């Protein structure tokens, strides 16, 4: 049985297992060594592995990606819509606080997007208090370190 069968016309996922995209923005590839006093010591691979196990146990699949480029995140949000993803967990990192383009993208798609952060931006510098992602996200999970992703996944799996 294939997990991700695409039809020839719309490119939609025909699999019986729902897929959740987990999209990570700039500098998150450095997790583990990047400001560990703020972000902890888990690497992005550690987080991806745990989400994968959790999703599989619930009969779902994770598509986990990271990019330092805003346009990649936008293209991947479009892709999540095109393939019929069940939800997107989005840690847009620094773009959270700057990107009208990502806000526009979240508004342009119907896939539910959950905003995720390791730290709690509201307890940090004032420039992190504004979240363009949060203006369109279904919910926000922040301040629980790597666990923020797992909490968001548990909610997304229940959609
Ligand atoms: C972050 C918080 C952002 O303010 C920051 O720019 C990041 C990481 C977090 O996961 O805590 O890069 O999104």
């Amino acid at each position: 049985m294939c997990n991700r069968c695409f039809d020839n016309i719309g490119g939609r996922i025909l699999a019986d297992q729902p897929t959740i995209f987990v999209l990570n923005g700039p500098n998150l590839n450095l997790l583990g060594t990047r400001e560990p006093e703020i972000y902890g010591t888990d690497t992005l691979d550690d987080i991806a592995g745990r989400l994968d196990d959790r999703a599989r146990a619930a009969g779902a699949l994770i598509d986990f990606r990271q990019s330092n480029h805003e346009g990649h995140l936008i293209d991947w949000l479009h892709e999540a819509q095109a393939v019929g993803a069940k939800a997107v967990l989005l840690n847009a990192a620094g773009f959270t606080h700057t990107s009208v383009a990502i806000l526009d993208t979240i508004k342009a798609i119907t896939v539910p997007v959950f905003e995720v952060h390791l730290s709690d931006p509201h307890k940090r510098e004032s420039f992190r208090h504004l979240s363009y992602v949060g203006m369109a996200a279904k919910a926000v999970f922040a301040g629980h370190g790597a666990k923020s992703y797992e909490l968001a996944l548990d909610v997304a799996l229940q959609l």
Side-chain angles (χ1 to χ4, degrees):
M1 187 185 84
C2 73
N3 286 334
R4 276 160 140 290
C5 301
F6 291 81
D7 70 26
N8 291 328
I9 304 162
R12 284 185 310 105
I13 288 176
L14 298 179
D16 43 7
Q17 284 173 293
T19 298
I20 296 177
F21 277 42
V22 185
L23 305 181
N24 296 280
N27 302 306
L28 293 172
N29 53 315
L30 301 179
L31 280 186
T33 57
R34 175 193 180 197
E35 298 182 273
E37 66 286 0
I38 296 176
Y39 299 116
T41 52
D42 280 329
T43 66
L44 208 53
D45 272 354
D46 293 333
I47 295 172
R50 287 203 294 273
L51 292 186
D52 205 50
D53 290 347
R54 217 175 177 86
R56 278 176 197 282
L61 295 172
I62 292 291
D63 193 327
F64 195 96
R65 305 178 189 189
Q66 187 276 332
S67 176
N68 294 325
H69 304 278
E70 188 176 8
H72 288 167
L73 296 173
I74 291 169
D75 288 344
W76 291 341
L77 285 163
H78 293 174
E79 187 182 333
Q81 172 82 14
V83 303
K86 182 179 172 74
V88 175
L89 312 189
L90 175 62
N91 185 349
F95 293 140
T96 304
H97 317 297
T98 62
S99 181
V100 174
I102 290 177
L103 167 62
D104 286 344
T105 308
I106 297 169
K107 288 168 82 170
I109 64 177
T110 56
V111 181
V113 174
F114 294 90
E115 177 178 359
V116 177
H117 300 286
L118 296 130
S119 66
D120 182 350
H122 287 282
K123 294 189 175 150
R124 300 180 62 192
E125 305 95 319
S126 57
F127 62 82
R128 296 184 201 276
H129 298 179
L130 172 67
S131 170
Y132 287 100
V133 171
M135 291 176 196
K138 200 168 168 60
V140 183
F141 298 85
H144 299 279
K147 274 255 170 213
S148 295
Y149 286 83
E150 291 168 44
L151 294 170
L153 177 63
D154 288 349
V155 171
L157 287 169
Q158 286 169 38
L159 287 176

